[in-house]
Amino acid sequence: MAGWVVARAPATVSNLGPGFDCLGLAVDRWYDEVAVRTVEGGEIRVVEITGDPGLGAERLPSDPQANTAAVAARAVRDRVGSRAGLEIRLHKGLPLGSGLGSSGASAAAGALAAATALGADLAVETLVEAAREGEAVACGAPHVDNVGPCVLGGIVLAIPSGPLRLCRLPVPEDLHLVVYTPGCSVATAEARAVLPDRLPREDHVVQAARLGLLVHALHAGDLLLLGEAMVDLLAEPVRAGLIPGFSAAKAAAYEAGALACGISGAGPTVFAMTNRAGHGDRLLALLDEQFQLAGVPGRGAVCRVGGGAEIVAPVPH
Ligand code: HSE
């Protein structure tokens, strides 16, 4: 596509046990792609939205004020101080409303493609801030726990409010993931509405201690300790009931030796962790079996922690 700059951005698993709203990782399996080119006239237009079958791309708005990729591209243009027009094409490889950071991925790819098309070499923090604006129009809040790892790649701890702080945490070499999206939907608004406003003090202390333990485990490369830390007292207890089959699937994964199993983001996607390369297929089959039994078969994959948003088809100016 001469004249177009194409960026892709990955699916993310966010929250990660005690890291509600502040911890997430990039997955090396599914991507959204956004192509951007500069045009005369100063307008920002979404000229095409496509998607892999069954992912819901047809539901996305092409209004540039409402489309996450376009809002992120505009946010980049504002930061660069450019008045160039932008044309945008979006291809969805991530399912909408699945807990895999779909809107964040479109926003991150839109931000990076726009920056590159405008010839701007922006700091990752600036790209994340621009992508958060895109995320906010889709989700109502500028979540950074998926946009952060989506832009940076790896496992990222982010401070969600106040001055932006993003920390890339070490990724243990023997960490393998299973990611499964059951065939049901969970409205993000509902998943947030069930959250408690407050956590009892003793739960807060344990949750905070586990988040510290999790960061320590990643630095130590100790996956058994990581598994011990991967318990959430805030969101999972109240969200588990929104995902048919989740509790049985989680029990089966632990029974089969998973180090961790939990809900990705607001759900319904579920993830499991293992330190054995060949074990992922077994866990994937188990999750599939459990969600079939629950009447919500879906799709999943064994994957690894992956890189962040990247340019896949640069075009010279
Ligand atoms: N952390 C958010 C939630 C989702 O669980 O509601 C994505 O940022």
Side-chain angles (χ1 to χ4, degrees), residues 11-12 30-33 49-62 66-69 90-107 135 137-139 146 180-189 264-269 299:
T12 50
W30 300 284
Y31 301 87
D32 275 3
E33 275 192 3
I49 300 176
T50 55
D52 295 348
L55 299 185
E58 66 285 351
R59 301 203 303 270
L60 290 174
S62 57
N67 181 283
T68 60
L90 166 62
H91 182 84
K92 293 296 295 178
L94 304 190
L96 271 61
S98 60
L100 283 171
S102 171
S103 50
S106 295
E135 164 80 354
V137 289
C139 296
N146 50 28
Y180 190 92
T181 305
C184 57
S185 59
V186 172
T188 306
S264 174
T269 294
R299 70 163 193 169

Side-chain angles (χ1 to χ4, degrees), residues 190-290:
E190 189 189 355
R192 290 197 81 86
V194 296
L195 295 171
D197 288 333
R198 295 175 185 281
L199 205 55
R201 184 170 57 194
E202 55 272 29
D203 287 353
H204 166 75
V205 170
V206 174
Q207 183 95 341
R210 284 197 180 118
L211 184 54
L213 184 67
L214 187 152
V215 171
H216 168 72
L218 291 174
H219 279 278
D222 186 333
L223 288 179
L224 295 182
L225 213 50
L226 177 68
E228 194 182 316
M230 289 283 301
V231 181
D232 175 31
L233 297 177
L234 176 62
E236 190 180 297
V238 290
R239 286 178 170 175
L242 302 177
I243 307 171
F246 170 70
S247 299
K250 179 173 173 164
Y254 275 105
E255 176 83 7
L259 295 173
C261 182
I263 301 170
S264 174
T269 294
V270 169
F271 69 93
M273 292 179 166
T274 176
N275 56 358
R276 289 176 278 146
H279 191 211
D281 289 332
R282 163 105 182 100
L283 292 174
L284 179 60
L286 271 177
L287 292 182
D288 189 45
E289 189 181 304
Q290 290 300 323

Side-chain angles (χ1 to χ4, degrees), residues 14-15 20-21 135 143-146 188 191-192 195 235 239 265-266:
S14 60
N15 292 342
F20 178 75
D21 267 2
E135 164 80 354
H143 296 125
V144 74
D145 55 334
N146 50 28
T188 306
R192 290 197 81 86
L195 295 171
R239 286 178 170 175

